[in-house]
Amino acid sequence: MKKKPLIAVVGPTASGKTKLAIDIARKYGGEIVSCDSMQIYKGMKIGTAQPTEDELRLVPHHLIAFLDPEISFSVSDYVDIAKKEIEKLYAECKVPVLAGGTGLYARSLIYGANFTENSGDEKVRAELEARAESEGVEVLYRELHNLDPQAAELIHVNNEKRVIRALEYCLVTGEKFSEQSRLAEESEYDFIMIGLNYRDRDRLYERINLRVDIMMEDGLAEEAKVYYDKKDKGTSAQAIGYKELFPYFDGKLSLEEAVENIKLSTRHYAKRQLTWFRKERKISWLYPDDYSSYEELFESACKLIESSDILL
């Protein structure tokens, strides 16, 4: 029995995933299913680079801005809801095009992870939370790095909730958090994963810097101020583009310094994304700086899809 087709467009932030995924979906009769752990939240349109209104009109998008930032949302939650959206698309004879930069989401969905993330201990978690408050999350992050370097590499030091969760898992189970899900050897999907990257890293960093400048022009500071003023900031307190502006609102940094910190954090995040995707079992890389035009890049993407025979 032939597996159902799935096209995935992944890669680091600012690499051009959104445009390529939209054009692929339009060409092959598909719709976009996001695999971005921040774009799921409402009210964070600018800072998480959610698709514009024009882009949303071109192709229907799923799992964009549907959740309040205060609500906890795990990778297992994502897999459950993404699978339901994908099944709806199959029922309508449409091809799902997975698009985004959260590697754990993409891998867990495609390979059907069997999660054990609920393995935890409330007492241990409370102790770690108390230590984070008294000693600082950096101390816990160093402990996590010693126990599970791969998990530490993929979790930002400022993401206190995630650092605590990963360290708790390691301490309670004696296993590495980075191996907390068991992936099937074969996917239930007949898929092709297209990864975007730049051979010249400076080109990618230039795109990141420009994106941040455009975000600021579009009102990122005003969007971040809404969350700064909230008592319960939720996920926004850890999101790149928001937390770097909070010291500016506190009067501790100039706006220019805060913007430079956003650019630096985003560049570091892009490096972590590339580290993750380079470990993917099955990925076809495309490099925009190999092409003289976007049209040539898109043509190469289409050739990859068609030669994979997943749409037959």
Side-chain angles (χ1 to χ4, degrees):
M1 182 177 177
K2 184 172 175 57
K3 299 178 182 178
K4 294 176 180 177
L6 176 69
I7 300 169
V9 180
V10 300
T13 185
S15 58
K17 299 184 297 294
T18 297
K19 178 174 175 56
L20 182 60
I22 287 174
D23 288 342
I24 286 172
R26 294 182 73 190
K27 180 176 177 66
Y28 297 106
E31 295 185 7
I32 307 293
V33 178
S34 174
C35 64
D36 186 294
S37 62
M38 287 289 124
Q39 290 186 359
I40 62 176
Y41 293 111
K42 299 176 184 176
M44 301 173 72
K45 184 177 182 65
I46 300 171
T48 63
Q50 292 177 10
T52 65
E53 294 301 321
D54 288 341
E55 289 170 334
L56 292 173
R57 279 191 289 268
L58 286 173
V59 174
H61 286 63
H62 303 268
L63 306 188
I64 297 287
F66 70 93
L67 197 67
D68 291 327
E70 295 80 12
I71 297 176
S72 176
F73 192 78
S74 69
V75 62
S76 55
D77 293 328
Y78 170 77
V79 170
D80 288 342
I81 195 169
K83 280 181 172 291
K84 292 175 183 176
E85 293 298 321
I86 287 173
E87 287 303 318
K88 290 177 185 177
L89 293 180
Y90 289 145
E92 298 171 2
C93 297
K94 295 177 180 176
V95 179
V97 180
L98 196 67
T102 303
L104 181 59
Y105 278 19
R107 180 185 296 176
S108 300
L109 173 66
I110 289 173
Y111 286 102
N114 178 23
F115 293 96
T116 58
E117 191 170 347
N118 289 329
S119 298
D121 186 300
E122 292 184 4
K123 182 179 179 181
V124 172
R125 187 179 310 158
E127 291 173 352
L128 292 174
E129 289 172 348
R131 287 187 58 203
E133 185 173 352
S134 62
E135 302 173 37
V137 68
E138 294 83 1
V139 174
L140 301 185
Y141 183 81
R142 287 196 293 271
E143 291 183 15
L144 174 63
H145 192 277
N146 290 333
L147 292 173
D148 188 350
Q150 185 178 10
E153 188 175 352
L154 296 171
I155 300 174
H156 195 280
V157 63
N158 290 334
N159 192 337
E160 181 176 309
K161 181 178 179 181
R162 196 66 174 165
V163 170
I164 290 174
R165 182 65 194 93
L167 185 55
E168 174 196 355
Y169 183 89
C170 293
L171 295 174
V172 172
T173 67
E175 300 177 0
K176 292 183 178 180
F177 183 77
S178 58
E179 299 173 356
Q180 57 85 28
S181 62
R182 302 292 182 260
L183 299 181
E185 289 299 319
E186 295 293 333
S187 173
E188 66 178 283
Y189 303 106
D190 194 3
F191 76 95
I192 179 170
M193 180 181 288
I194 297 174
L196 290 182
N197 192 7
Y198 280 77
R199 297 192 189 279
D200 182 354
R201 185 64 58 84
D202 288 339
R203 290 279 297 276
L204 176 61
Y205 290 169
E206 287 171 5
R207 289 176 61 89
I208 289 171
N209 293 340
L210 177 60
R211 170 180 278 188
V212 173
D213 288 336
I214 293 173
M215 285 178 170
M216 291 301 298
E217 293 173 3
D218 288 344
L220 175 58
E222 292 78 6
E223 187 176 82
K225 186 64 164 58
V226 172
Y227 288 97
Y228 174 81
D229 291 335
K230 286 186 176 183
K231 183 177 180 180
D232 182 5
K233 294 179 174 59
T235 300
S236 65
Q238 304 300 335
I240 295 175
Y242 296 85
K243 58 184 175 59
E244 291 83 4
L245 284 166
F246 291 169
Y248 162 66
F249 299 141
D250 287 331
K252 297 177 180 178
L253 292 179
S254 69
L255 182 59
E256 292 74 17
E257 289 172 320
V259 170
E260 285 305 311
N261 286 341
I262 295 173
K263 293 177 179 178
L264 179 61
S265 294
T266 308
R267 294 195 297 267
H268 287 168
Y269 176 56
K271 289 176 66 175
R272 294 195 299 274
Q273 288 176 298
L274 285 168
T275 297
W276 180 280
F277 285 118
R278 287 195 187 100
K279 297 176 182 177
E280 281 300 330
R281 308 176 191 177
K282 181 181 175 183
I283 187 168
S284 300
W285 289 104
L286 291 178
Y287 299 87
D289 44 356
D290 280 350
Y291 302 92
S292 59
S293 68
Y294 168 78
E295 288 71 25
E296 291 181 3
L297 171 70
F298 177 61
E299 183 179 351
S300 290
C302 294
K303 287 180 178 177
L304 285 173
I305 294 168
E306 291 163 12
S307 63
S308 71
D309 293 335
I310 67 170
L311 300 180
L312 292 180

